Amino acid sequence: MGRKTTIIETATRLFAQKGFAEASTAEIAETAGVAHGTLFYHFKNKQGIIQEIFTRAGSVYLRELRKSIAEYNTGMRQIEAALRFNEEYSRHHSQEILIFLRIFPDQLKGDAQSPEREFIDSIQQQVIAILHESLSAGIADGTIECRDIEETACVLNSLIFGVTHMSLMAPRYTPSLSEGAIAFCRQALQPSACAGKK
Amino acid sequence: MGRKTTIIETATRLFAQKGFAEASTAEIAETAGVAHGTLFYHFKNKQGIIQEIFTRAGSVYLRELRKSIAEYNTGMRQIEAALRFNEEYSRHHSQEILIFLRIFPDQLKGDAQSPEREFIDSIQQQVIAILHESLSAGIADGTIECRDIEETACVLNSLIFGVTHMSLMAPRYTPSLSEGAIAFCRQALQPSACAGKK
Amino acid sequence: MGRKTTIIETATRLFAQKGFAEASTAEIAETAGVAHGTLFYHFKNKQGIIQEIFTRAGSVYLRELRKSIAEYNTGMRQIEAALRFNEEYSRHHSQEILIFLRIFPDQLKGDAQSPEREFIDSIQQQVIAILHESLSAGIADGTIECRDIEETACVLNSLIFGVTHMSLMAPRYTPSLSEGAIAFCRQALQPSACAGKK
Amino acid sequence: MGRKTTIIETATRLFAQKGFAEASTAEIAETAGVAHGTLFYHFKNKQGIIQEIFTRAGSVYLRELRKSIAEYNTGMRQIEAALRFNEEYSRHHSQEILIFLRIFPDQLKGDAQSPEREFIDSIQQQVIAILHESLSAGIADGTIECRDIEETACVLNSLIFGVTHMSLMAPRYTPSLSEGAIAFCRQALQPSACAGKK
DNA sequence: GATGAATGAGGTTTCATTCAT
DNA sequence: CATGAATGAAACCTCATTCAT
């Protein structure tokens, strides 16, 4: 495994544990077992490390989310899959997710139109788009009913974000939310029962 | 207005805008119009400032949330009120909320049992307890139906957190979620329509 | 007891425990139970406190040393008394002595002709003078024999200083030295045994 | 000569002149001709500098003391050599000795079992052990007579400390004590004259 | 490709001292 | 007499970054 990859993995771990400002480049280098200067040979600066982590993690997440949803063929099942995938993913890739949850906010300084911000926004947009698609599919195949697709996609996205945040940041009092959240969403999205019974 | 209050207000603004690590004590002092040393006369250290902000903001938020809910008499309306209150509150107290969203994560270093962590956890617990109460009331008065009250309260708490986060941190592409979220929850919580129709 | 005395006693204790630079005026005030500003009402500045401690302690020490020696009527017994007094005194007034041992050195910045330095030197001179007097008396009364009175007085003074320092600063491995030192000195000072026997 | 050595030498000079607290890291760096930050690259912190000075100076002192004593073959001459060595050494290495005399006390905060304290104690112990050995040798070869070897070694150690302190800290009124101290000790330690004469 | 010594700007904090009350 | 809020200079230390090797 190349030095660059080692650095990225070490940095991911440290950033997730301690936060961006609190993990110094010297510590990253030492933990990764490379010289301090080596960091700056492979990356322009400290920002560059986190940017690469963001970029890699973001694209992996999106790819796997899409793959995971693609296995199901009704809209409702896809939405459920998205929620389940998210719990699974945040369990197995907790460090990448923690980085998003922890460092994310600090990257969004003021309202500046930074490239980081655009990248992050773009990921959110894609997640919302994926949910939108599944909702549309669900409406088409009769497994879902909802007022406004776009709005519902945003709400779902927020719910996913909130649930992930809670289970990673405050797991002590917050038991696994996934099944609860899935039940909640199924209830909210399923077509009116009476209509179906008639 | 005392110097201490001035410092707290200035620090709140700066922390919300730039984050904890990025707002220097020198800048806070200068912006507040006091000498640098004055900060450390009134607060033990930089942490002490954010702690006081947390404590004050947390208790105000909880008090107003309770008051806002108390105006309604069915469980469902209370839940709706909680969601609406949250949107309203995060619009008018965006700085305090931003501090919670931004600095929060960085306060939770590792799994250490820090007083900050306990304070933050305690707020979450109280919010969940409030929601729990309204859900119980709703089940009693027939306006709500749900699988597991505790679980649902946690899901609702996560949803509130997610929606608030999205609307403050990424407002550009995320239109006001409140009404969408309310509709979503109402759908998820309302008693099965058929039963009612029969 | 007046506030000024309280301050002096508290400062003595703290300076002895922690050193001059390490005991802050704020801590002295708090421990003494007075307001921070009160210190600077009674003393010109921090230096002023230690100066007053020095002055008081120095004159008390000299007075008691003289009194203690005066009880004996041969030179040798006076020297022994001086050594015994010193051990006794450093046990009962360890804080004042510690201040001399600890803060002393730091007061003697470079070779500047500071008033502190002159005061300290003057105490040393007086101790040496007292020893000188006893040695002379001892030679006159035949209990002491020595090469050079002035020189011997200086050696004795150094020995007293060294013994006191060791027993206060490194008591762990240095058992009570007084009796050993007295025997040592008696041996060094007593007239040649043969001469006496003849 | 490496930068680290330069820093140590500069710091030794400044600490000896002004004391530990009074010599600022900025001043040390400037005087040494290196950047302020360089200090903290080579040493953990300010304490770290003085610790290294202590360690180096302590081991040099002990080595040379041993070498200096080894040249003589009777116990009495070894003791004399120790006293002479000390005067010589404190004249040529006055800065290191001044550091011990000045900073020493401040390192011994309270009764804490700090590593500095242990190091300092260990040096004292070794000096006492060396004196002990010479006293034993002297008793064996008939050049020395004394009540209690251990006790006498401690007294001698205290005397050496006191004499060194006086001649370095208050040289103005205290002429070279070495010969006086040697005569004093010879007198105290030599075997009873009569026994010899008989 | 990789290193690590060196940097210096900037951060937090301490603290003796002042002064209006 | 006494206070304590306020000060600001100066301290120690951190750390991202550079650069000669």
Side-chain angles (χ1 to χ4, degrees):
Chain A
M1 190 173 52
R3 270 174 157 79
K4 189 168 180 179
T5 314
T6 310
I7 293 170
I8 287 192
E9 289 181 359
T10 309
T12 303
R13 204 168 60 239
L14 289 175
F15 286 153
Q17 272 168 24
K18 323 176 68 178
F20 184 71
E22 283 70 24
S24 73
T25 52
E27 187 183 2
I28 295 169
E30 200 190 4
T31 311
V34 302
H36 196 181
T38 307
L39 259 61
F40 297 87
Y41 175 76
H42 289 290
F43 302 91
K44 183 166 167 279
N45 51 25
K46 199 183 178 187
Q47 271 300 322
I49 303 176
I50 197 90
Q51 260 167 47
E52 184 125 357
I53 293 175
F54 274 163
T55 313
R56 292 190 181 196
S59 61
V60 169
Y61 172 80
L62 284 175
R63 185 180 348 115
E64 303 222 356
L65 172 59
R66 285 202 178 89
K67 196 164 67 183
S68 166
I69 284 183
E71 294 172 15
Y72 298 89
N73 49 14
T74 74
M76 179 62 97
R77 281 171 179 272
Q78 286 179 358
I79 294 293
E80 289 177 17
L83 286 160
R84 280 214 184 76
F85 167 78
N86 229 72
E87 192 192 21
E88 189 81 1
Y89 193 82
S90 71
R91 209 173 15 238
H92 290 81
H93 298 73
S94 58
Q95 274 155 5
E96 284 93 334
I97 300 289
L98 274 169
I99 285 195
F100 268 88
L101 296 180
R102 292 192 60 148
I103 299 186
F104 219 83
D106 259 9
Q107 298 288 312
L108 310 178
K109 326 238 156 153
D111 297 305
Q113 189 70 18
S114 65
E116 294 85 29
R117 165 137 225 151
E118 288 192 12
F119 173 71
I120 282 165
D121 281 351
S122 111
I123 291 187
Q124 293 293 344
Q125 283 310 297
Q126 290 181 62
V127 172
I128 292 175
I130 290 169
L131 294 169
H132 191 120
E133 212 173 321
S134 292
L135 287 172
S136 301
I139 287 173
D141 65 31
T143 53
I144 286 174
E145 219 178 75
C146 75
R147 235 178 40 159
D148 174 331
I149 301 182
E150 179 66 17
E151 190 183 71
T152 306
C154 287
V155 171
L156 275 173
N157 178 51
S158 299
L159 179 57
I160 288 173
F161 180 90
V163 165
T164 307
H165 187 108
M166 284 300 149
S167 56
L168 277 178
M169 301 295 273
R172 214 166 328 185
Y173 308 115
T174 318
S176 164
L177 285 178
S178 194
E179 286 312 315
I182 290 171
F184 190 88
C185 290
R186 195 185 302 122
Q187 198 70 26
L189 297 174
Q190 74 190 354
S192 157
C194 301
K197 282 189 176 175
K198 276 180 194 168
Chain B
M1 190 175 53
R3 271 172 158 81
K4 186 167 181 180
T5 315
T6 312
I7 292 170
I8 287 192
E9 290 179 1
T10 310
T12 303
R13 205 167 59 241
L14 289 174
F15 286 152
Q17 273 168 25
K18 320 178 71 177
F20 184 70
E22 284 69 23
S24 76
T25 52
E27 186 182 4
I28 295 170
E30 199 186 4
T31 311
V34 302
H36 196 181
T38 305
L39 257 63
F40 297 89
Y41 176 73
H42 289 290
F43 303 91
K44 187 169 167 283
N45 48 28
K46 201 183 177 186
Q47 270 299 322
I49 303 177
I50 199 94
Q51 257 167 52
E52 184 125 357
I53 294 176
F54 274 167
T55 312
R56 294 192 178 195
S59 61
V60 169
Y61 172 80
L62 285 174
R63 183 177 353 112
E64 303 220 356
L65 171 61
R66 286 201 177 89
K67 197 165 65 182
S68 166
I69 284 184
E71 293 173 15
Y72 297 89
N73 48 15
T74 73
M76 178 63 97
R77 281 173 179 270
Q78 286 179 358
I79 295 293
E80 289 177 17
L83 288 159
R84 279 213 185 78
F85 167 78
N86 230 73
E87 191 191 22
E88 188 81 0
Y89 193 81
S90 70
R91 207 169 20 234
H92 289 79
H93 298 74
S94 59
Q95 275 157 2
E96 283 93 335
I97 299 288
L98 274 168
I99 286 194
F100 267 89
L101 296 180
R102 294 192 59 147
I103 299 186
F104 217 88
D106 257 11
Q107 298 289 310
L108 308 179
K109 325 233 157 159
D111 297 303
Q113 190 71 19
S114 66
E116 294 85 29
R117 164 140 225 151
E118 289 192 12
F119 174 71
I120 282 167
D121 281 351
S122 112
I123 290 187
Q124 293 292 342
Q125 284 308 298
Q126 291 182 61
V127 172
I128 291 175
I130 291 170
L131 294 169
H132 190 119
E133 213 173 321
S134 292
L135 287 172
S136 302
I139 287 172
D141 65 29
T143 52
I144 285 175
E145 219 178 75
C146 73
R147 238 179 38 158
D148 175 331
I149 300 182
E150 180 66 19
E151 189 184 72
T152 307
C154 287
V155 172
L156 275 173
N157 178 51
S158 300
L159 179 58
I160 288 173
F161 181 90
V163 165
T164 307
H165 188 107
M166 285 299 151
S167 56
L168 277 177
M169 300 295 275
R172 215 166 328 190
Y173 309 114
T174 317
S176 163
L177 286 178
S178 194
E179 286 312 315
I182 291 171
F184 189 89
C185 292
R186 195 185 302 121
Q187 198 70 25
L189 297 173
Q190 74 190 355
S192 156
C194 302
K197 281 186 173 176
K198 276 181 194 170
Chain C
M1 191 172 53
R3 271 174 155 79
K4 188 167 180 181
T5 314
T6 311
I7 292 169
I8 288 191
E9 290 181 359
T10 309
T12 303
R13 203 168 61 240
L14 289 176
F15 286 153
Q17 275 169 22
K18 323 176 66 177
F20 184 71
E22 284 70 23
S24 74
T25 52
E27 187 184 3
I28 295 170
E30 199 190 4
T31 311
V34 302
H36 195 181
T38 306
L39 258 62
F40 297 87
Y41 175 77
H42 289 291
F43 303 91
K44 183 166 167 279
N45 49 26
K46 200 185 178 185
Q47 270 299 324
I49 303 176
I50 198 91
Q51 262 166 45
E52 185 125 356
I53 294 175
F54 274 163
T55 313
R56 293 191 179 197
S59 61
V60 169
Y61 172 80
L62 285 174
R63 185 181 344 117
E64 303 220 356
L65 172 60
R66 287 203 178 89
K67 197 165 63 184
S68 167
I69 284 182
E71 293 174 15
Y72 297 90
N73 48 15
T74 73
M76 179 61 99
R77 283 174 179 269
Q78 286 179 357
I79 295 293
E80 289 177 18
L83 287 159
R84 279 214 186 77
F85 167 78
N86 229 74
E87 192 193 21
E88 190 82 358
Y89 194 82
S90 72
R91 209 173 15 237
H92 291 81
H93 298 72
S94 59
Q95 273 155 5
E96 283 93 335
I97 300 289
L98 275 168
I99 285 194
F100 269 89
L101 297 178
R102 293 192 59 148
I103 299 185
F104 219 82
D106 259 10
Q107 297 291 310
L108 308 179
K109 327 239 156 148
D111 297 305
Q113 189 70 19
S114 65
E116 294 85 27
R117 164 139 226 149
E118 289 192 12
F119 173 71
I120 282 165
D121 281 351
S122 112
I123 290 187
Q124 293 293 343
Q125 283 309 298
Q126 290 181 64
V127 172
I128 290 173
I130 290 170
L131 294 169
H132 190 119
E133 211 173 323
S134 292
L135 286 173
S136 302
I139 287 171
D141 64 30
T143 53
I144 286 176
E145 218 180 76
C146 74
R147 239 179 36 159
D148 174 331
I149 302 183
E150 180 66 19
E151 190 183 71
T152 307
C154 286
V155 172
L156 276 173
N157 178 51
S158 300
L159 180 57
I160 289 173
F161 181 90
V163 166
T164 308
H165 188 107
M166 284 300 150
S167 57
L168 278 177
M169 301 296 273
R172 217 169 322 189
Y173 309 115
T174 317
S176 165
L177 286 178
S178 195
E179 285 312 315
I182 289 173
F184 189 89
C185 291
R186 196 185 301 120
Q187 199 69 27
L189 297 175
Q190 72 189 357
S192 157
C194 302
K197 279 188 179 176
K198 277 181 196 170
Chain D
M1 190 176 53
R3 269 174 160 80
K4 187 168 180 179
T5 314
T6 312
I7 292 170
I8 288 194
E9 290 179 359
T10 310
T12 303
R13 207 168 58 242
L14 289 174
F15 285 153
Q17 273 169 25
K18 321 178 68 176
F20 184 71
E22 283 71 24
S24 76
T25 52
E27 187 182 2
I28 294 170
E30 200 187 3
T31 311
V34 302
H36 195 180
T38 305
L39 259 62
F40 299 90
Y41 176 73
H42 289 290
F43 303 91
K44 188 168 164 285
N45 49 28
K46 200 184 177 186
Q47 269 299 323
I49 302 176
I50 198 92
Q51 259 167 52
E52 186 127 354
I53 293 176
F54 274 166
T55 312
R56 294 190 179 197
S59 61
V60 170
Y61 172 81
L62 284 175
R63 187 182 342 118
E64 304 221 354
L65 172 61
R66 287 203 177 89
K67 198 165 64 184
S68 166
I69 284 183
E71 294 172 15
Y72 297 89
N73 48 14
T74 73
M76 179 61 97
R77 282 174 180 269
Q78 285 178 0
I79 296 292
E80 289 176 18
L83 286 159
R84 280 213 185 78
F85 167 79
N86 230 74
E87 192 192 21
E88 189 81 0
Y89 194 82
S90 72
R91 214 179 4 244
H92 290 81
H93 298 73
S94 59
Q95 275 156 2
E96 283 93 335
I97 299 288
L98 275 168
I99 285 195
F100 267 88
L101 296 179
R102 294 192 58 147
I103 299 185
F104 218 86
D106 258 11
Q107 297 289 310
L108 309 178
K109 325 235 156 158
D111 297 304
Q113 188 72 16
S114 65
E116 294 85 28
R117 163 140 228 149
E118 288 192 13
F119 174 71
I120 282 167
D121 281 351
S122 113
I123 290 186
Q124 294 292 342
Q125 282 310 296
Q126 291 181 61
V127 172
I128 291 174
I130 290 169
L131 294 169
H132 190 119
E133 213 173 322
S134 293
L135 287 173
S136 302
I139 286 171
D141 64 29
T143 53
I144 285 176
E145 220 179 75
C146 74
R147 241 179 34 157
D148 175 332
I149 301 183
E150 181 66 19
E151 190 184 71
T152 307
C154 287
V155 172
L156 276 172
N157 178 51
S158 300
L159 180 57
I160 288 173
F161 181 90
V163 166
T164 307
H165 188 106
M166 283 300 150
S167 57
L168 278 177
M169 299 298 273
R172 217 165 326 185
Y173 310 114
T174 317
S176 164
L177 285 178
S178 194
E179 286 312 316
I182 290 171
F184 189 89
C185 291
R186 195 184 302 121
Q187 199 68 28
L189 297 174
Q190 73 189 356
S192 158
C194 302
K197 281 189 179 176
K198 278 183 198 170

